Amino acid sequence: MEVRGVTAMFTPFTPSMPGIPVIVLDLEDGREFTLYNVPYEIVRAINKLQASGPDTLGERETIFDVIVDMREFIGGIGARLERVVVDEIDYATALYTAKVFFDLGGIYMTRRMVPSHAIFLALLFGRPIYVSKRLVDEQEMYGKREGAAVYAGEAEEEDEEEF
Protein backbone atom coordinates (compact mmCIF):
# COMPACT_ATOMS: atom_id res chain seq x y z
CA MET A 1 0.00 0.00 0.00
CA GLU A 2 1.40 3.36 -0.96
CA VAL A 3 2.15 5.93 1.71
CA ARG A 4 0.58 9.33 1.00
CA GLY A 5 1.85 11.21 4.05
CA VAL A 6 4.30 10.89 6.92
CA THR A 7 3.93 12.46 10.37
CA ALA A 8 6.72 12.17 12.93
CA MET A 9 5.76 13.21 16.45
CA PHE A 10 5.87 12.50 20.15
CA THR A 11 2.66 11.03 21.55
CA PRO A 12 1.58 12.23 24.98
CA PHE A 13 2.39 9.71 27.67
CA THR A 14 1.81 11.23 31.09
CA PRO A 15 2.32 14.72 32.47
CA SER A 16 5.56 13.66 34.13
CA MET A 17 6.88 11.42 31.34
CA PRO A 18 8.09 12.41 27.87
CA GLY A 19 6.05 11.35 24.86
CA ILE A 20 6.72 8.25 22.82
CA PRO A 21 8.38 8.99 19.45
CA VAL A 22 6.22 7.64 16.61
CA ILE A 23 5.95 7.80 12.85
CA VAL A 24 2.43 7.67 11.43
CA LEU A 25 2.12 6.69 7.78
CA ASP A 26 -1.06 7.81 6.00
CA LEU A 27 -1.96 5.14 3.47
CA GLU A 28 -3.67 5.29 0.09
CA ASP A 29 -6.82 3.60 1.42
CA GLY A 30 -7.27 6.16 4.23
CA ARG A 31 -5.87 3.96 7.00
CA GLU A 32 -2.79 4.65 9.10
CA PHE A 33 0.20 2.51 9.96
CA THR A 34 2.12 3.51 13.07
CA LEU A 35 5.70 2.78 14.03
CA TYR A 36 6.18 3.19 17.78
CA ASN A 37 9.35 3.87 19.77
CA VAL A 38 11.32 5.10 16.77
CA PRO A 39 14.59 6.87 17.53
CA TYR A 40 14.08 10.38 18.87
CA GLU A 41 16.67 11.67 16.38
CA ILE A 42 14.64 10.39 13.43
CA VAL A 43 11.51 12.23 14.58
CA ARG A 44 13.55 15.43 14.89
CA ALA A 45 15.20 14.92 11.50
CA ILE A 46 11.93 14.17 9.69
CA ASN A 47 10.34 17.26 11.21
CA LYS A 48 13.37 19.33 10.19
CA LEU A 49 13.19 17.86 6.69
CA GLN A 50 9.48 18.66 6.46
CA ALA A 51 10.14 22.08 8.07
CA SER A 52 7.47 21.45 10.70
CA GLY A 53 9.75 21.11 13.68
CA PRO A 54 11.70 23.67 15.67
CA ASP A 55 14.99 25.01 14.32
CA THR A 56 17.84 23.08 15.92
CA LEU A 57 20.51 25.75 15.56
CA GLY A 58 22.50 25.97 18.74
CA GLU A 59 21.47 22.51 19.87
CA ARG A 60 23.56 19.40 19.62
CA GLU A 61 22.83 17.89 16.24
CA THR A 62 22.80 14.29 15.11
CA ILE A 63 24.08 12.76 11.92
CA PHE A 64 20.50 12.93 10.60
CA ASP A 65 20.44 16.73 11.03
CA VAL A 66 23.71 17.02 9.14
CA ILE A 67 22.43 14.77 6.34
CA VAL A 68 19.30 16.92 5.95
CA ASP A 69 21.44 20.04 5.62
CA MET A 70 23.99 18.45 3.28
CA ARG A 71 21.88 16.07 1.22
CA GLU A 72 23.30 17.34 -2.08
CA PHE A 73 26.65 15.82 -1.07
CA ILE A 74 25.13 12.34 -0.79
CA GLY A 75 22.90 12.70 -3.84
CA GLY A 76 24.36 9.51 -5.32
CA ILE A 77 22.41 7.49 -2.79
CA GLY A 78 19.20 9.30 -3.71
CA ALA A 79 19.82 8.86 -7.43
CA ARG A 80 20.02 5.10 -6.95
CA LEU A 81 17.27 4.70 -4.35
CA GLU A 82 14.09 3.41 -5.98
CA ARG A 83 11.63 2.74 -3.16
CA VAL A 84 11.15 1.67 0.46
CA VAL A 85 8.82 -1.14 1.51
CA VAL A 86 7.94 -1.94 5.15
CA ASP A 87 7.07 -5.60 4.80
CA GLU A 88 8.41 -7.68 7.67
CA ILE A 89 7.85 -8.10 11.38
CA ASP A 90 9.72 -10.27 13.84
CA TYR A 91 6.85 -11.50 15.98
CA ALA A 92 9.18 -12.46 18.85
CA THR A 93 10.52 -8.91 19.22
CA ALA A 94 7.64 -6.96 17.60
CA LEU A 95 10.19 -5.14 15.43
CA TYR A 96 9.42 -4.19 11.83
CA THR A 97 11.92 -4.31 8.97
CA ALA A 98 11.90 -2.33 5.74
CA LYS A 99 13.49 -3.20 2.44
CA VAL A 100 15.25 -0.44 0.53
CA PHE A 101 15.61 -1.04 -3.21
CA PHE A 102 18.52 0.45 -5.18
CA ASP A 103 19.26 0.44 -8.92
CA LEU A 104 23.03 0.52 -9.34
CA GLY A 105 22.95 0.93 -13.12
CA GLY A 106 21.27 -2.34 -14.00
CA ILE A 107 22.43 -4.17 -10.90
CA TYR A 108 19.68 -4.23 -8.30
CA MET A 109 20.40 -4.30 -4.61
CA THR A 110 18.01 -4.71 -1.68
CA ARG A 111 18.99 -3.74 1.85
CA ARG A 112 17.05 -4.65 5.00
CA MET A 113 16.89 -1.60 7.26
CA VAL A 114 15.33 -0.16 10.38
CA PRO A 115 12.02 1.22 9.00
CA SER A 116 12.37 4.71 10.45
CA HIS A 117 15.81 5.08 8.86
CA ALA A 118 14.54 3.79 5.51
CA ILE A 119 11.57 6.17 5.65
CA PHE A 120 13.94 9.04 6.41
CA LEU A 121 15.98 8.20 3.29
CA ALA A 122 12.86 8.00 1.12
CA LEU A 123 11.64 11.38 2.41
CA LEU A 124 15.09 12.90 2.00
CA PHE A 125 15.21 11.98 -1.68
CA GLY A 126 11.51 12.07 -2.56
CA ARG A 127 11.15 8.35 -3.19
CA PRO A 128 7.97 6.28 -2.71
CA ILE A 129 7.23 4.42 0.51
CA TYR A 130 5.02 1.35 0.72
CA VAL A 131 3.69 -0.82 3.54
CA SER A 132 2.61 -4.44 3.18
CA LYS A 133 -1.18 -4.70 3.31
CA ARG A 134 -0.78 -7.76 5.54
CA LEU A 135 1.08 -5.73 8.17
CA VAL A 136 -1.49 -2.92 8.02
CA ASP A 137 -4.35 -5.41 8.42
CA GLU A 138 -2.59 -7.16 11.33
CA GLN A 139 -1.84 -3.89 13.13
CA GLU A 140 -5.43 -2.72 12.67
CA MET A 141 -6.84 -6.07 13.85
CA TYR A 142 -4.58 -6.12 16.90
CA GLY A 143 -5.35 -2.49 17.70
CA LYS A 144 -9.07 -3.23 17.71
CA ARG A 145 -8.58 -6.33 19.84
CA GLU A 146 -5.96 -5.05 22.28
CA GLY A 147 -6.02 -1.27 21.95
CA ALA A 148 -2.29 -1.18 21.17
CA ALA A 149 -0.02 -1.53 18.16
CA VAL A 150 2.79 -3.70 19.54
CA TYR A 151 2.12 -7.41 19.21
CA ALA A 152 3.60 -10.86 18.95
CA GLY A 153 2.42 -14.08 17.38
CA GLU A 154 3.27 -16.70 14.80
CA ALA A 155 4.53 -15.54 11.41
CA GLU A 156 2.77 -16.80 8.34
CA GLU A 157 4.84 -17.08 5.19
CA GLU A 158 3.29 -15.67 2.05
CA ASP A 159 4.60 -16.17 -1.46
CA GLU A 160 3.62 -12.74 -2.71
CA GLU A 161 3.08 -9.51 -0.83
CA GLU A 162 0.47 -7.00 -1.80
CA PHE A 163 1.56 -3.37 -1.55
Side-chain angles (χ1 to χ4, degrees):
M1 303 183 79
E2 187 170 3
V3 173
R4 300 290 168 100
V6 177
T7 304
M9 63 184 170
F10 299 94
T11 61
F13 192 66
T14 67
S16 63
M17 297 288 291
I20 298 170
V22 300
I23 295 175
V24 180
L25 305 175
D26 298 318
L27 304 173
E28 64 185 283
D29 68 353
R31 293 189 288 172
E32 293 179 343
F33 185 76
T34 304
L35 298 168
Y36 291 89
N37 295 312
V38 300
Y40 170 83
E41 294 83 6
I42 292 288
V43 171
R44 268 188 43 187
I46 289 173
N47 285 328
K48 181 176 183 177
L49 183 63
Q50 295 175 331
S52 64
D55 187 2
T56 58
L57 281 178
E59 292 183 21
R60 288 178 38 180
E61 294 186 308
T62 69
I63 187 65
F64 300 105
D65 295 309
V66 173
I67 289 170
V68 169
D69 292 336
M70 299 187 176
R71 71 185 107 177
E72 64 273 3
F73 295 111
I74 60 168
I77 293 172
R80 292 165 179 79
L81 177 63
E82 288 190 327
R83 69 188 179 281
V84 167
V85 181
V86 181
D87 64 351
E88 292 180 29
I89 185 170
D90 179 335
Y91 291 95
T93 62
L95 294 175
Y96 292 102
T97 298
K99 289 188 180 87
V100 181
F101 295 87
F102 295 93
D103 179 351
L104 306 175
I107 298 171
Y108 298 96
M109 179 175 70
T110 304
R111 303 296 295 257
R112 296 177 71 238
M113 290 184 65
V114 174
S116 58
H117 294 196
I119 290 165
F120 171 75
L121 280 179
L123 291 172
L124 187 67
F125 296 113
R127 298 299 186 258
I129 304 166
Y130 301 92
V131 180
S132 162
K133 182 179 182 311
R134 177 181 59 85
L135 292 182
V136 175
D137 291 343
E138 287 178 2
Q139 189 179 81
E140 186 175 67
M141 180 181 65
Y142 185 80
K144 286 179 181 175
R145 189 178 70 228
E146 300 292 333
V150 179
Y151 59 99
E154 293 293 320
E156 293 182 358
E157 297 276 332
E158 290 187 29
D159 292 334
E160 189 160 319
E161 285 292 333
E162 195 176 325
F163 302 116

